[in-house]
Amino acid sequence: MNNNNDYYYYSMCMKYITLLCGLIDAQELLPGSCNFELSTCGYISDPEFGGWSINEEGHLIMVDSAIMQDQERAVLVSPVLDQQDWSCVRLVYQITGRGCLHLHLRPHSDNFDYQIWTADNASDSWLIASVDLANSTIPYQILLEGRPELGLGNSVAIFEIHIVPGYCIECNFEEHHLCGYSNTWNPNVNWYVGGVVGEQEHNQRGHYMYVDSVYAKHFQEVAKLTSPMTTVPMAGCLTFYYQRDQEKGNIFSVFTKDQLGHYEEIWRPEVYSTASWILVSVDIKALHPLEVVFEVAFNSAHGGYVGIDDISFSPEFCHTDTEPTFDPSIANCDFERDLCLYHEERAETKSWIRASVKANAYRSGDHTTGTGCFLLANTHYTSRLGYVGRLHGPFLPGNLKYCLRFYYLLHGFRKVDNALSLYIYDEHNVAQEKVWSLADMSRDMWTQVEITYRKPMVSKVVFVSICKNFWECGLVAIDDITVSMGDCQITTGSLSRQCDFESGVCGYIQDKTGDKADWLRVRGHTPTFYTGPRGDHTSGVGYFMYIEASLMRPGHKARLLTSDLWGSSSTQCLIFYYHMYGSGTGILSVFLHHSSREQDMLLWRRQGEQSISWMRAMVEYHCDAQHQIIFEAIRGPSLLSDIAIDDIRFKRGLCEDPGDGTSYSGFSEYFNEIEN
């Protein structure tokens, strides 16, 4: 590192040393905390990647592109942490130039590192991130992955890491970092730190946050104080103290704000003036990542002031009449065993029937496994003039936002105008709204539908299929109905072990040494007729990985490797979907690779044409050393040999249906020819 960089970081440290060096004197620091003044506190650089280095003068640890050589990233690994209670990581960091910083969680007895926070915003000053770590009985490590881009002046630096008990949204405003709360800057009205030593606040001497109208110049000038974004689902009691002296017409409210920017008011005071600090308790359900926003609006310079202090959170609801978090999964159904809680309008009609299709080259099986059951309407028993089939779901509580997902498949329709529609009915069986109807002409391919809705009353979903003319009707199927809380566009805050290839290849690696071709990431149907899928398994219109047989010779192979997975004492279940359709289809195999073995271990294999459907595979394995999973596809003797995979997922523990974990099945017609 050059002297200019040394001086820059040293001066920056001196600028913030008084603010951050004694960051949380009054608050307990948990193991894993470090200010990098005298040592790395047990943090080490992973030797497989670039190294982090301590700047002794500036008391920080950093990775600079100038010393990265050929490495793309540097990974800093914490000591093993065994903290079973909820905690919050407060990270003071800076990205200079171009680069990014990722925070990962590495649970023991698991194969994966899970990314729980990321940043790529360059800054001339230090920034603070607050990341929740949910309570867990499993020891873990945290990893900080710095990725400065190539070129001069790109670096990632960490000033200190503090891990404190409790939730990240909790704050007493005694420390200079203000617990990561951010102030939406307004030139006239803003939240400020109030109180000094010797001044009495609501129950102790200290600091609080306040906003004053003295500089307000316009109507409805707004000051917003925003908490850090939650990173894991949370439900419980939010409490805080407030003091207020405002004229009527001025506003003080507390909102939640989700990742899409949608606000929802959760509390507003009933009085404009308080004689002292008042304790407020509000139930909050953060099933998705969100922020808590304290908002004050003034109409004039005489609007008054508002103060808040001691924000805390408890996992227990503060009001006994608060409904517990509703589990909408009662409306889920994959139709493998029965209709679940779905029923027809008239039981005697039998308009919708459970059906299954044996996997073959002519008809698609169900979406769940390729060999299971789905629900079918407009069969030859019901395709008659004037036919209407209604499938009713279970009732769900009102005033909640739901995300409904399901898959549909069409076969043989000339017109699709009335093939399938979705309505919301109230508890009196009266249709309130038509929320979706079929608009595209896709055939013989499972396609996903996502609908977000909210109704004030108890309601249910009803699937409707109408056949007005026998000669224009075909078959319509639905499968894998799921209902969850929140907006479909917002991802859950839980750890994910799945790759659907929608945003990229998830760190999967092409084998450039042992094969003659690559796996390709595409969407839509493959270019050669009578082989390959019509669409992906995830949504029908998304991405998947496949081998294009026309670019390969018979016997050529393509190998796709996971990134390094950590060894585990637990059995692991690998779940994925594969597509092997075409009269010349070759071999798809899954191998386990690690350096202590001369040969890769075969875990699973399929050979020859399997079905026109996506099929599910579930494979159990155990490995207590660092390893990789390999997906290997071998081209068959003809161009009709495309092989595809999608929706790869790893799950700790035994597979639900290990019967699919046999090492080999399929036709053996070309097996020896391809292997040789």
Side-chain angles (χ1 to χ4, degrees), residues 226 229 255-259 261-264 289-293:
T226 305
M229 179 77 73
F255 298 87
T256 58
K257 178 185 176 184
D258 64 26
Q259 291 172 307
H262 297 157
Y263 285 82
E264 181 177 351
L290 55 78
E291 299 167 325
V292 177
V293 182

Side-chain angles (χ1 to χ4, degrees), residues 200-203 241-245 271 273-280 305 307:
Q200 187 75 21
E201 55 169 349
H202 66 87
N203 62 359
Y241 285 86
Y242 85 97
Q243 192 176 46
R244 186 188 192 198
D245 186 8
V271 296
S273 180
T274 62
S276 60
W277 290 92
I278 305 297
L279 177 64
V280 175
Y305 73 91

Side-chain angles (χ1 to χ4, degrees), residues 11 24 166 188 231 292 317 331 362 461-462 483 528 540 552 595 607 616 631 657:
S11 63
I24 312 180
N188 298 324
T231 54
V292 177
F317 287 118
Y362 306 103
V461 297
V462 178
V483 180
T528 308
M552 304 166 66
S595 56
Q607 192 270 330
R616 185 177 69 182
F631 293 89
D657 181 17

Side-chain angles (χ1 to χ4, degrees), residues 1 5-18 20-22 34-41 52-62 92-94 126 156-162:
M1 188 168 58
N5 279 345
D6 280 344
Y7 177 77
Y8 172 75
Y9 283 107
Y10 178 75
S11 63
M12 292 299 295
C13 285
M14 292 299 100
K15 179 178 179 181
Y16 287 91
I17 200 86
T18 57
L20 298 170
C21 223
C34 192
N35 56 18
F36 303 104
E37 289 188 11
L38 302 176
S39 70
T40 62
C41 313
W52 289 79
S53 59
I54 288 185
N55 182 337
E56 296 180 358
E57 296 176 347
H59 302 288
L60 56 90
I61 193 166
M62 65 177 299
V92 182
Y93 71 97
Q94 184 179 28
W126 295 98
V156 178
I158 298 172
F159 187 72
E160 54 192 1
I161 303 167
H162 280 182

Side-chain angles (χ1 to χ4, degrees), residues 228-415:
M229 179 77 73
T230 62
T231 54
V232 290
M234 294 166 51
C237 180
L238 176 72
T239 62
F240 61 92
Y241 285 86
Y242 85 97
Q243 192 176 46
R244 186 188 192 198
D245 186 8
Q246 284 188 283
E247 291 185 346
K248 291 185 178 181
N250 296 283
I251 300 172
F252 172 36
S253 299
V254 181
F255 298 87
T256 58
K257 178 185 176 184
D258 64 26
Q259 291 172 307
L260 300 178
H262 297 157
Y263 285 82
E264 181 177 351
E265 187 176 61
I266 59 174
W267 178 83
R268 180 179 293 196
E270 297 178 353
V271 296
Y272 282 91
S273 180
T274 62
S276 60
W277 290 92
I278 305 297
L279 177 64
V280 175
S281 300
V282 183
D283 286 322
I284 187 172
K285 301 175 183 178
L287 301 176
H288 300 289
L290 55 78
E291 299 167 325
V292 177
V293 182
F294 295 86
E295 181 176 296
V296 177
F298 297 113
N299 295 321
S300 70
H302 304 290
Y305 73 91
V306 174
I308 61 171
D309 197 13
D310 285 358
I311 302 168
S312 62
F313 185 83
S314 167
E316 301 294 331
F317 287 118
C318 35
H319 301 109
T320 56
D321 59 344
T322 298
E323 294 183 8
T325 303
F326 173 70
D327 183 4
S329 65
I330 64 168
N332 294 358
C333 196
D334 59 11
F335 304 106
E336 294 303 311
R337 297 180 179 178
D338 51 34
L339 297 185
C340 308
L341 296 181
Y342 289 81
H343 65 277
E344 293 198 67
E345 189 166 83
R346 293 188 300 273
E348 67 276 7
T349 60
K350 298 295 182 184
S351 302
W352 292 83
I353 63 169
R354 284 177 63 244
S356 64
V357 176
K358 185 176 181 180
N360 59 61
Y362 306 103
R363 287 290 304 278
S364 295
D366 80 318
H367 178 264
T368 314
T369 66
T371 58
C373 295
F374 53 92
L375 210 59
L376 186 64
N378 290 358
T379 66
H380 62 280
Y381 297 110
T382 56
S383 296
R384 59 184 181 273
L385 185 64
Y387 158 79
V388 179
R390 293 185 178 90
L391 182 73
H392 294 246
F395 283 109
L396 302 178
N399 291 317
L400 296 173
K401 184 180 289 187
Y402 297 106
C403 171
L404 168 68
R405 293 184 174 94
F406 67 93
Y407 291 82
Y408 74 89
L409 179 145
L410 297 178
H411 180 74
F413 276 89
R414 292 186 182 180
K415 293 183 180 180

Side-chain angles (χ1 to χ4, degrees), residues 413-421 434 437-439 441 466:
F413 276 89
R414 292 186 182 180
K415 293 183 180 180
V416 299
D417 296 348
N418 300 292
L420 187 63
S421 300
K434 183 179 182 179
S437 61
L438 196 60
M441 299 292 288
I466 301 175

